[in-house]
């Protein structure tokens, strides 16, 4: 069984399921497993310490799958920005055919990728940003609702409204992101006008995700209330898992005149990496979304994708037709 949408046709994959870029998690083991299971796996460029290391990681992923996979390039405001143009060049030189861009001012990167005929999926959190990315020539919009792990933007629009609002305005294929974890979500996304789904948090709780087992168990044990919105007052909102560190960030930033410097030591990416690698659940931030409320086990990626596809087909074949009794057709 395969699913056919504008997205599966464009990318050449069996199922409209994408594994979004994830700092420290989006490595070859996970991306290759997702692609091998019929979805689209994505490596995260900045997880690699240098553009050369990214070239090697792309080769490693190629040795693990013959199916299409992509690379995420996330452009975030930073005091010491990484050499974005060099990472971009490494992606192009390596012959990668699919890129997921995310973050601020992607114009120059999108133009360069498109010059090389690369299919660009741009991930954003607002209809107006989706429209400008479409004007810049991207091929697919991944639209991230307020439920998502990571950066949900400042508009606070959940997927139930954001996805159809985007579908109403954008002509190119759309991937619905944020809060997806099962077949019900996939069918809902298709109903709302999307051509597929993007998942982050759900893929962290799989056998192949290269993170400590205690972090996977944390996602299983948590529920839909187990997130914090951090850095709101600085207009750089992040949705992360609730733990002692994110609780502290929220508390500190409630103080009048609090600034980024007051929490910088708590939100450092390097600390999040320690958490993921050692399983010390209070070492730093853990990025996770509200979909934790739908995560109850740690299957292999193939089991997870197989389950989502079966559940979605059962809904389409049996549950939805039963809503329209024969005499009304
Ligand atoms: C651990 C983790 C790290 C993430 N890092 C990035 C990143 O570096 N770049 C990016 O564009 N999105 C990142 N995201 C967001 C995901 O790609 C995806 O958009 C989001 O997780 C979707 O919401 P969901 O978690 O509800 O599925 C991250 C998400 C998680 C869970």
């Amino acid at each position: 069984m395969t699913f056919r949408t504008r997205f599966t046709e464009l990318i050449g994959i069996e199922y409209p399921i994408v594994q979004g870029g994830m700092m420290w998690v989006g490595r070859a083991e996970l991306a290759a497993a997702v692609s091998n299971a019929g979805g689209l796996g994505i490596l995260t460029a900045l997880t690699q310490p240098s553009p050369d290391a990214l070239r090697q990681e792309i080769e490693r992923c190629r040795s693990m799958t013959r199916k299409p996979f992509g690379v995420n390039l996330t452009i975030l405001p930073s005091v010491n920005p990484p050499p974005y143009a060099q990472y971009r060049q490494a992606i192009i030189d390596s012959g990668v055919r699919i890129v997921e861009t995310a973050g601020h001012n992607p114009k120059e990167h999108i133009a360069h990728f498109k010059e090389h005929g690369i299919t660009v999926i741009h991930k954003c959190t607002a209809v107006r940003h989706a429209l400008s990315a479409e004007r810049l020539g991207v091929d697919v919009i991944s639209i991230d609702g307020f439920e998502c792990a990571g950066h949900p933007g400042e508009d606070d629009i959940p997927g139930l409204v954001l996805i159809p609002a985007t579908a109403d305005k954008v002509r190119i294929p759309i991937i619905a992101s944020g809060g997806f974890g099962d077949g019900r979500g996939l069918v809902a996304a298709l109903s709302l006008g999307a051509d597929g789904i993007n998942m982050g948090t759900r893929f962290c709780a799989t056998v192949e995700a290269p993170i400590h087992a205690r972090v996977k168990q944390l996602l299983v044990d948590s529920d839909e209330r187990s997130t914090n919105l951090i850095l709101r007052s600085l207009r750089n909102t992040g949705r992360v898992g609730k733990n002692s560190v994110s609780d502290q960030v929220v508390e500190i930033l409630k103080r009048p005149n609090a600034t980024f410097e007051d929490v910088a030591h708590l939100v450092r990416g390097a600390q999040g990496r320690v958490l993921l690698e050692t399983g010390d659940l209070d070492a730093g931030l853990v990025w996770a979304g509200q979909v934790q409320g739908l995560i109850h086990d740690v299957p292999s990626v193939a089991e997870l994708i197989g389950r989502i596809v079966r559940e979605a087909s059962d809904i389409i074949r049996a549950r939805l037709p039963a809503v329209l009794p024969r005499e009304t057709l």
Side-chain angles (χ1 to χ4, degrees):
M1 180 197 359
T2 55
F3 274 48
R4 194 189 302 154
T5 70
R6 293 186 297 172
F7 182 71
T8 59
E9 299 278 287
L10 176 71
I11 305 289
I13 53 175
E14 289 156 86
Y15 307 121
I17 301 174
V18 182
Q19 166 251 314
M22 287 187 277
M23 199 61 185
W24 311 127
V25 186
R27 300 176 190 269
E29 288 76 11
L30 182 59
V34 173
S35 291
N36 282 334
L40 178 67
I42 296 190
L43 295 174
T44 306
L46 300 182
T47 291
Q48 299 305 318
S50 67
D52 274 342
L54 174 60
R55 286 174 220 265
Q56 286 167 25
E57 187 70 357
I58 292 168
E59 280 316 310
R60 208 163 71 83
C61 197
R62 251 190 210 124
S63 74
M64 296 164 88
T65 182
R66 300 169 77 86
K67 305 239 179 115
F69 65 89
V71 177
N72 165 287
L73 186 65
T74 304
I75 305 113
L76 291 176
S78 162
V79 187
N80 295 312
Y84 286 118
Q86 290 175 31
Y87 277 98
R88 183 180 75 210
Q89 198 57 45
I91 294 169
I92 293 170
D93 294 345
S94 302
V96 168
R97 304 309 303 152
I98 304 157
V99 162
E100 180 192 58
T101 52
H104 298 250
N105 300 324
K107 190 173 175 178
E108 153 200 350
H109 303 286
I110 290 171
H112 210 126
F113 287 132
K114 289 312 302 172
E115 269 170 32
H116 289 82
I118 292 172
T119 300
V120 178
I121 303 168
H122 182 66
K123 189 165 61 190
C124 57
T125 58
V127 178
R128 60 191 184 284
H129 298 154
L131 286 169
S132 22
E134 186 180 45
R135 280 194 296 273
L136 290 175
V138 307
D139 303 277
V140 178
I141 293 293
S142 190
I143 190 79
D144 229 353
F146 190 48
E147 304 89 335
C148 73
H151 294 274
E154 310 305 323
D155 293 346
D156 304 1
I157 312 295
L160 200 54
V161 170
L162 188 60
I163 298 158
T166 308
D168 281 348
K169 294 273 173 60
V170 163
R171 285 191 305 267
I172 55 179
I174 295 171
I175 296 301
S177 179
F180 293 98
D182 59 26
R184 295 171 297 184
L186 173 54
V187 178
L190 297 174
S191 306
L192 293 171
D195 302 277
I197 55 172
N198 177 54
M199 305 195 300
T201 308
R202 176 66 264 204
F203 277 125
C204 290
T206 59
V207 172
E208 290 89 343
I211 59 177
H212 199 283
R214 268 199 293 271
V215 182
K216 300 180 189 184
Q217 193 56 41
L218 173 75
L219 300 175
V220 172
D221 295 339
S222 300
D223 67 20
E224 62 279 7
R225 295 167 307 163
S226 310
T227 69
N228 270 321
L229 289 167
I230 57 166
L231 311 184
R232 290 239 85 177
S233 55
L234 308 174
R235 294 191 63 75
N236 184 23
T237 299
R239 187 183 292 283
V240 295
K242 190 170 167 51
N243 68 0
S244 64
V245 178
S246 59
D247 281 348
Q248 237 181 303
V249 174
V250 170
E251 279 312 309
I252 292 174
L253 286 176
K254 275 186 192 159
R255 295 180 198 150
N257 306 321
T259 66
F260 180 74
E261 281 62 46
D262 299 324
V263 295
H265 61 292
L266 296 169
V267 305
R268 273 203 304 266
Q271 292 304 115
R273 182 181 185 175
V274 170
L275 182 149
L276 293 174
E277 286 177 0
T278 65
D280 172 356
L281 300 178
D282 292 308
L285 296 176
V286 55
W287 296 85
Q290 294 179 324
V291 73
Q292 288 176 102
L294 304 178
I295 296 177
H296 308 304
D297 61 356
V298 181
S300 70
V301 165
E303 279 171 60
L304 176 65
I305 290 187
R307 185 195 297 170
I308 292 174
V309 164
R310 269 195 312 280
E311 194 186 2
S313 345
D314 286 350
I315 295 171
I316 296 168
R317 286 214 186 97
R319 204 160 118 195
L320 295 182
V323 175
L324 282 183
R326 206 176 282 274
E327 57 275 17
T328 66
L329 292 175

